[in-house]
C-alpha cells in the first residue's frame, strides 16, 4: 500500500496553466471547470504589489472532511491514499463541496462558465454523461467507481490524482518520475506536462521517496494546515515564500474588508 | 363548518372531491394551493427536464447550496417547531395548549412533507438516496443522522396523529409516542443545525451555538405557523372558536411564549453579527455583506423587532389580528433568516483566484423561486386537506369538560 502525494515547487512554477490544460484533456473536463487550476492572486498594495500564483489540485487529504460528511459513502479514501468519488453512489447533495476547504469539487449541472455552452455544442447522445467532448478518453478506460471519465449528470467530481494512470504503476514504485519512459504513462497528467518540472509525485509512506526528501529538505508546507485536513499535496515556497493563509484571494474586492 | 368529519375511506374521498366545489375558507385554500402546486411543480419539472439543475443559480465557485436548501431548512424547522408547541400539552402537561396540539401535529407532518419534496427536487439523484444512504451507513456524516432522525420524527408524527384521531390522548402508548416524538424532534432539528455547525472551514456556521439556534428558532417558526393557521381556520372570528381555543387565542399565554421565543432569536442574531463583525477570522467577510443586505434588515427590524414589541404590548398581544400579523411577519423573517444564513455562510469563495468576487453574488433563479411556491402550496394544500378530513381542533374530553363545551362539529 502506498500513500501517494504530490510536491509542487512554487519557485519553479511558471504559472503557465499547462497542468490545467493537460488535466482538462486527460479527464474530459468541461472548459472552465478545472479539477486542476492555477489560482492567480495579488499581494500587497500599490506600489508594493506582487502577482502570485498557486497551482491547486485536490489535496487528497489525510483527514478528508469531504469523506466525513458524505451521507452515502460515495466519497471515500482508498488504501493508496486517493480520495475518490463513486459516481454510481453519489446523490448530488453537494455536502462535500460545502465541506471542502480548498474548493476543488465541481457539480457540472450549473450555468455555463463560458459561451457557447460546450454541453450543447457536444451533447451526449446516449444521455449518460453531461456532455460528449471530442477528445474524451476511450470508453473502456472510464471508471465511474473511482470518478474517472466524462462526468455524468448530477454528481460531484474532482481531481483523482489521475487514478487510472497511477493505479496501474508497477508494484513497489516509490517515485513516479515522468522522465523515466517506463513510468511516464503511470504518472498524473499534470506532472508529465509540467515544463519547468515543478511537480513531483511519489509515495509519502516511503521515507526514501523523492517527495519526502523534498518536503524534509526544502520545508514543504500545506494549505490551511490549521484546519487539520492534512493535505497530501505539499508546496515548496523557498526562503521567505509562503502559501496563502486565507481562502479568499481578493480581500480588497467590492469595497469589503481588506 | 358544521359538518361531520369523515370516518371511512369512501367518506374521505367524497370529502376531498367536495373540497373542489365548496365555498369556504378551507376549500378556497385547497383550490388556490392546488393550482399553485400544479403550476409551480409543472414549471420546476419542465426546467429540470430541459435545463437540469443548471436552471438553479448555484455554482461550484461559491454558493453550492442555494435557496432550495434554505427552503427545505425553513420547512423542516417549522415542522420541528410545531412539534415543540404540541409537546407543551402532550409532553409537559400545559393543558391550555391542548386546543392547538392536534393542529400542530398535522401541520408538522405537512411541513415536513413539503420540506422533503423541495429537498428531493434539489438533489441530483433523489431516488438513489433510498438505497445508498441506508447501505452506506456513514455514521460520521451529520447529514446521514439528519435523514435518520427526520424519518423517525415523521413516523412518530404519523403515529401521534393516528392516536389523536382515535381520540387516544392519555394512554401509556400515547404518552410514550408523544415523548419519543419530542426527543426525536429535538435531535432532528439539532442535527440539522449540526449539518452546518460541524464545518470548521465555514466559520459563519461553525460552533454548537448554531445547533442550539436551530432548535430555538424552530420553536419560534412553529409558534408563528400555528397562530397564523388558527386565525385562518376560523376566518378571524373568535366567537366561532371552541371555548378552550378561544381562551388560548385571546389569552396572554401564547403571545408570551411567542414573545419570549422572538426575544431569544433576536439575542442569537445580534450576538452572532457582533462576533462576525468584530472578528478578523478568514471567511467571516460574509457578515459585512449581510449587514449591507436589505433582506437582513427587513428580517431584523420588521419581522422580529416589530412583532416582539407587538407581543409585549398588553392591548395588542390579546388581539387576534395583531397576533396574526405578528406571526406572519415572524414567519417571513424566519424564511429570510434561513436564506441569509445559508447563502452568506458560503459566499466567501475558497481558493478561486483574483477574478472571483470576494463575496460571491447570488440570488435565486425563477426555478428556485418556483420551488419555494412548490413547498408553500404543498403545505397549504395538505393543511386544507387535514382541515377538511380531521377535526384539527379536537382535544381530550377532560379539557372539554373543564371548559363546559364540546368541540365544533
Amino acid at each position: 500500500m502506498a500513500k501517494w502525494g504530490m510536491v509542487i515547487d512554487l519557485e519553479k512554477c511558471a504559472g503557465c496553466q499547462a497542468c490545467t490544460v493537460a488535466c482538462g484533456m486527460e479527464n474530459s473536463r468541461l472548459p472552465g471547470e478545472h479539477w486542476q487550476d492555477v489560482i492567480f492572486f495579488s499581494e500587497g498594495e500599490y506600489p508594493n504589489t506582487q502577482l502570485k500564483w498557486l497551482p491547486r489540485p485536490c489535496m487528497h487529504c489525510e483527514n478528508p472532511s469531504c469523506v466525513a460528511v458524505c451521507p452515502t459513502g460515495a466519497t471515500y479514501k482508498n488504501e493508496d491514499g486517493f480520495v475518490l468519488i463513486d459516481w454510481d453512489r453519489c446523490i448530488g447533495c453537494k455536502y462535500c463541496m460545502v465541506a471542502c476547504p480548498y474548493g476543488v469539487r465541481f457539480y457540472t449541472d450549473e450555468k455555463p462558465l463560458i459561451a457557447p455552452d460546450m454541453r450543447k455544442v457536444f451533447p451526449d447522445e446516449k444521455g449518460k454523461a453531461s456532455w460528449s467532448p471530442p477528445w474524451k478518453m476511450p470508453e473502456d478506460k472510464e471508471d465511474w467507481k473511482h470518478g474517472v471519465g466524462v462526468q455524468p449528470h448530477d454528481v460531484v467530481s474532482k481531481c483523482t490524482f489521475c487514478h487510472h494512470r497511477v493505479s496501474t504503476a508497477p508494484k513497489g514504485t516509490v517515485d513516479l518520475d515522468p522522465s523515466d519512459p517506463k513510468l511516464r504513462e503511470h504518472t498524473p497528467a499534470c506532472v508529465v506536462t509540467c515544463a519547468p518540472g515543478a511537480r513531483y509525485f511519489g509515495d509519502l509512506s516511503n521515507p526514501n521517496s523523492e517527495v519526502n526528501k523534498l518536503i524534509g529538505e526544502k520545508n514543504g508546507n500545506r494549505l490551511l494546515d490549521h484546519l487539520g485536513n492534512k493535505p497530501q499535496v505539499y508546496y515548496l515556497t523557498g526562503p521567505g515564500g509562503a502559501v496563502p493563509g486565507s481562502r479568499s484571494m481578493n480581500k480588497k474586492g467590492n469595497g469589503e474588508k481588506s | 363548518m358544521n359538518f361531520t368529519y369523515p370516518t371511512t375511506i369512501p367518506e374521505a374521498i367524497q370529502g376531498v372531491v367536495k373540497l373542489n366545489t365548496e365555498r369556504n375558507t378551507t376549500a378556497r385554500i385547497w383550490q388556490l394551493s392546488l393550482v399553485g402546486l400544479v403550476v409551480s411543480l409543472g414549471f420546476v419539472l419542465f426546467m429540470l427536464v430541459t435545463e437540469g439543475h443548471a436552471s438553479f443559480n448555484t455554482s461550484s465557485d461559491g454558493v453550492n447550496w442555494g435557496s432550495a436548501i434554505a427552503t427545505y431548512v425553513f420547512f423542516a424547522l417549522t415542522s420541528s417547531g410545531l412539534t415543540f408547541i404540541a409537546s407543551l400539552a402532550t409532553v409537559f402537561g400545559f393543558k391550555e395548549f391542548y386546543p392547538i396540539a392536534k393542529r400542530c401535529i398535522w401541520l408538522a407532518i405537512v411541513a415536513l412533507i413539503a420540506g422533503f419534496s423541495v429537498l428531493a427536487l434539489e438533489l441530483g439523484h433523489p431516488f438513489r438516496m433510498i438505497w445508498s444512504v441506508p447501505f452506506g451507513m456513514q455514521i460520521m456524516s451529520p447529514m446521514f443522522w439528519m435523514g435518520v432522525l427526520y424519518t423517525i420524527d415523521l413516523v412518530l408524527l404519523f403515529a401521534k396523529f393516528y392516536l389523536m384521531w382515535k381520540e387516544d390522548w392519555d394512554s401509556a402508548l400515547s404518552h410514550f409516542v408523544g415523548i419519543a416524538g419530542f426527543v426525536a424532534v429535538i435531535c432532528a432539528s439539532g442535527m440539522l443545525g449540526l449539518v452546518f455547525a460541524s464545518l470548521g472551514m465555514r466559520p459563519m456556521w461553525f460552533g454548537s451555538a448554531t445547533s442550539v439556534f436551530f432548535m430555538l428558532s424552530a420553536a419560534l417558526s412553529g409558534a408563528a405557523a400555528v397562530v397564523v393557521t388558527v386565525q385562518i381556520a376560523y376566518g378571524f372570528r373568535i366567537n366561532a372558536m371552541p371555548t378552550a381555543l378561544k381562551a388560548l387565542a385571546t389569552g396572554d399565554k401564547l403571545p408570551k411564549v411567542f414573545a419570549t421565543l422572538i426575544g431569544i432569536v433576536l439575542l442569537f442574531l445580534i450576538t452572532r453579527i457582533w462576533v462576525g463583525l468584530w472578528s478578523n477570522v478568514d471567511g467571516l467577510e460574509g457578515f459585512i455583506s449581510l449587514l449591507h443586505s436589505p433582506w437582513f434588515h427587513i428580517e431584523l427590524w420588521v419581522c422580529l423587532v416589530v412583532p416582539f414589541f407587538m407581543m409585549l404590548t398588553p392591548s395588542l398581544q390579546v388581539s387576534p389580528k395583531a397576533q396574526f400579523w405578528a406571526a406572519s411577519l415572524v414567519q417571513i423573517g424566519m424564511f429570510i433568516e434561513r436564506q441569509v444564513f445559508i447563502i452568506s455562510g458560503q459566499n466567501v469563495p475558497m481558493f478561486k483566484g483574483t477574478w472571483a468576487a470576494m463575496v460571491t453574488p447570488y440570488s435565486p433563479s425563477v426555478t428556485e423561486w418556483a420551488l419555494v411556491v412548490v413547498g408553500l402550496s404543498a403545505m397549504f394544500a395538505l393543511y386544507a386537506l387535514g382541515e377538511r378530513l380531521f377535526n384539527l381542533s379536537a382535544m381530550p374530553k377532560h379539557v372539554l369538560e373543564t371548559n363546559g363545551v364540546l368541540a365544533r362539529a
Side-chain angles (χ1 to χ4, degrees):
Chain A
M1 281 189 296
K3 181 180 159 188
W4 294 110
M6 189 180 281
V7 170
I8 301 173
D9 189 341
L10 294 180
E11 285 192 299
K12 284 187 182 176
C13 174
C16 67
Q17 294 273 24
C19 48
T20 307
V21 175
C23 171
M25 297 297 280
E26 179 74 23
N27 295 294
S28 313
R29 294 307 304 148
L30 195 64
E33 291 198 343
H34 306 305
W35 279 357
Q36 149 61 50
D37 208 345
V38 180
I39 311 293
F40 285 83
F41 60 103
S42 53
E43 277 199 351
E45 278 184 47
Y46 180 82
N48 299 314
T49 53
Q50 261 193 315
L51 179 66
K52 292 193 167 187
W53 52 88
L54 177 94
R56 190 235 48 212
C58 169
M59 302 289 145
H60 293 266
C61 306
E62 286 175 32
N63 293 328
S65 43
C66 54
V67 172
V69 299
C70 178
T72 67
T75 283
Y76 60 99
K77 189 164 177 72
N78 82 355
E79 66 278 9
D80 287 324
F82 295 88
V83 173
L84 299 164
I85 304 169
D86 181 345
W87 282 339
D88 286 321
R89 277 191 96 91
C90 178
I91 58 170
C93 70
K94 300 188 264 185
Y95 198 5
C96 55
M97 292 171 72
V98 172
C100 172
Y102 306 104
V104 305
R105 290 174 163 254
F106 295 92
Y107 191 74
T108 297
D109 300 76
E110 293 176 347
K111 297 261 184 294
L113 290 169
I114 58 158
D117 184 353
M118 288 298 150
R119 290 166 299 190
K120 290 195 172 146
V121 178
F122 301 106
D124 181 35
E125 302 299 339
K126 294 177 197 159
K128 222 174 120 192
S130 54
W131 66 313
S132 179
W135 55 84
K136 63 184 171 182
M137 66 169 65
E139 262 184 34
D140 61 341
K141 283 222 169 192
E142 289 214 352
D143 179 7
W144 282 20
K145 296 282 170 210
H146 298 97
V148 173
V150 184
Q151 185 170 348
H153 280 293
D154 290 312
V155 295
V156 176
S157 75
K158 64 164 201 70
C159 150
T160 65
F161 260 178
C162 280
H163 179 268
H164 56 293
R165 295 169 73 108
V166 177
S167 59
T168 58
K171 280 227 173 312
T173 305
V174 176
D175 297 305
L176 281 171
D177 181 356
S179 62
D180 181 344
K182 292 197 291 296
L183 297 176
R184 197 173 168 83
E185 65 177 296
H186 305 295
T187 308
C190 59
V191 181
V192 172
T193 205
C194 183
R199 289 177 182 246
Y200 305 85
F201 197 82
D203 185 356
L204 290 171
S205 67
N206 188 318
N208 297 317
S209 65
E210 182 68 14
V211 282
N212 266 335
K213 283 183 196 159
L214 286 166
I215 293 164
E217 288 165 9
K218 295 194 169 183
N219 194 24
N221 57 58
R222 309 186 276 201
L223 269 185
L224 302 185
D225 226 0
H226 64 281
L227 289 176
N229 275 33
K230 298 188 176 175
Q232 285 174 207
V233 173
Y234 289 76
Y235 293 92
L236 307 179
T237 61
V243 289
S246 63
R247 72 186 62 193
S248 177
M249 303 297 176
N250 186 18
K251 284 279 182 187
K252 299 199 316 150
N254 307 340
E256 307 285 7
K257 192 190 270 183
S258 58
Chain B
M1 285 181 285
N2 291 319
F3 56 78
T4 322
Y5 291 99
T7 48
T8 61
I9 289 174
E11 278 176 22
I13 294 169
Q14 214 176 0
V16 177
V17 174
K18 275 187 188 166
L19 259 184
N20 295 309
T21 50
E22 281 171 354
R23 287 174 168 270
N24 52 46
T25 314
T26 307
R28 261 185 237 122
I29 292 173
W30 164 261
Q31 290 151 12
L32 272 176
S33 352
L34 211 57
V35 172
L37 185 61
V38 169
V39 173
S40 57
L41 188 60
F43 177 73
V44 169
L45 291 176
F46 172 76
M47 290 307 285
L48 286 180
V49 168
T50 54
E51 294 286 316
H53 284 96
S55 55
F56 289 15
N57 278 351
T58 48
S59 86
S60 299
D61 273 354
V63 178
N64 310 139
W65 280 346
S67 157
I69 294 293
T71 307
Y72 156 69
V73 170
F74 169 75
F75 282 115
L77 289 183
T78 301
S79 165
S80 301
L82 284 157
T83 315
F84 289 146
I85 303 295
S87 303
L88 288 174
T90 59
V91 177
F92 297 102
F94 294 104
K95 287 182 183 156
E96 305 90 318
F97 290 91
Y98 262 122
I100 54 170
K102 192 174 173 188
R103 183 178 301 277
C104 279
I105 298 289
W106 177 252
L107 281 169
I109 292 171
V110 304
L112 203 49
I113 291 172
F116 282 162
S117 310
V118 172
L119 184 64
L121 290 162
E122 197 273 346
L123 285 176
H125 290 280
F127 296 110
R128 192 176 284 176
M129 185 174 66
I130 296 164
W131 64 266
S132 65
V133 172
F135 285 108
M137 284 305 288
Q138 290 300 297
I139 56 169
M140 281 289 286
S141 169
M143 194 182 274
F144 170 82
W145 288 111
M146 179 199 78
V148 169
L149 291 164
Y150 266 117
T151 307
I152 292 172
D153 176 35
L154 188 60
V155 170
L156 289 169
L157 283 172
F158 271 117
K160 187 69 191 172
F161 191 79
Y162 175 76
L163 292 170
M164 285 173 161
W165 183 63
K166 287 274 178 195
E167 293 183 21
D168 174 2
W169 297 82
D170 282 322
S171 71
L173 177 68
S174 188
H175 279 295
F176 171 76
V177 172
I179 292 166
F182 177 73
V183 173
V185 86
I186 285 274
C187 296
S189 56
M191 189 52 77
L192 179 55
L194 288 175
V195 166
F196 303 92
S198 305
L199 305 179
M201 67 294 292
R202 299 281 182 186
M204 285 184 74
W205 295 342
F206 185 54
S208 58
T210 295
S211 184
V212 178
F213 174 70
F214 266 46
M215 293 181 217
L216 291 167
S217 61
L220 177 60
S221 259
V226 76
V227 170
V228 170
T229 49
V230 163
Q231 297 299 344
I232 291 177
Y234 291 93
F236 301 99
R237 295 191 310 272
I238 288 290
N239 291 333
M241 293 180 184
T243 309
L245 182 58
K246 193 172 159 183
L248 183 66
T250 54
D252 63 354
K253 286 231 165 55
L254 192 55
K256 276 181 179 164
V257 169
F258 199 39
T260 308
L261 289 169
I262 302 175
I264 292 170
V265 167
L266 273 171
L267 280 177
F268 262 94
L269 288 183
I270 291 164
T271 50
R272 192 177 76 193
I273 196 124
W274 170 278
V275 172
L277 295 176
W278 194 91
S279 171
N280 286 326
V281 169
D282 180 40
L284 288 184
E285 293 87 347
F287 278 111
I288 300 169
S289 67
L290 199 60
L291 206 62
H292 291 162
S293 157
W295 291 111
F296 174 72
H297 291 283
I298 292 172
E299 176 200 342
L300 186 66
W301 306 109
V302 181
C303 298
L304 290 170
V305 172
V306 170
F308 181 61
F309 285 108
M310 280 170 81
M311 289 299 99
L312 284 183
T313 312
S315 59
L316 288 177
Q317 65 181 193
V318 292
S319 149
K321 283 212 167 134
Q323 282 182 18
F324 173 81
W325 285 113
S328 301
L329 283 173
V330 163
Q331 247 341 21
I332 294 168
M334 285 297 94
F335 180 76
I336 299 173
E337 167 56 24
R338 308 308 173 207
Q339 298 280 339
V340 296
F341 175 81
I342 286 166
I343 307 306
S344 61
Q346 299 166 77
N347 62 8
V348 181
M350 288 173 168
F351 293 100
K352 297 297 180 186
T354 329
W355 57 85
M358 192 187 99
V359 175
T360 315
Y362 169 84
S363 58
S365 66
V366 179
T367 312
E368 287 169 292
W369 278 118
L371 258 180
V372 176
V373 180
V374 168
L376 284 174
S377 51
M379 183 171 169
F380 275 108
L382 289 170
Y383 158 68
L385 203 65
E387 192 71 48
R388 179 65 180 78
L389 299 182
F390 313 108
N391 178 7
L392 295 184
S393 295
M395 58 194 105
K397 280 209 174 69
H398 59 85
V399 177
L400 284 173
E401 281 155 12
T402 316
N403 290 283
V405 287
L406 283 169
R408 65 197 170 125

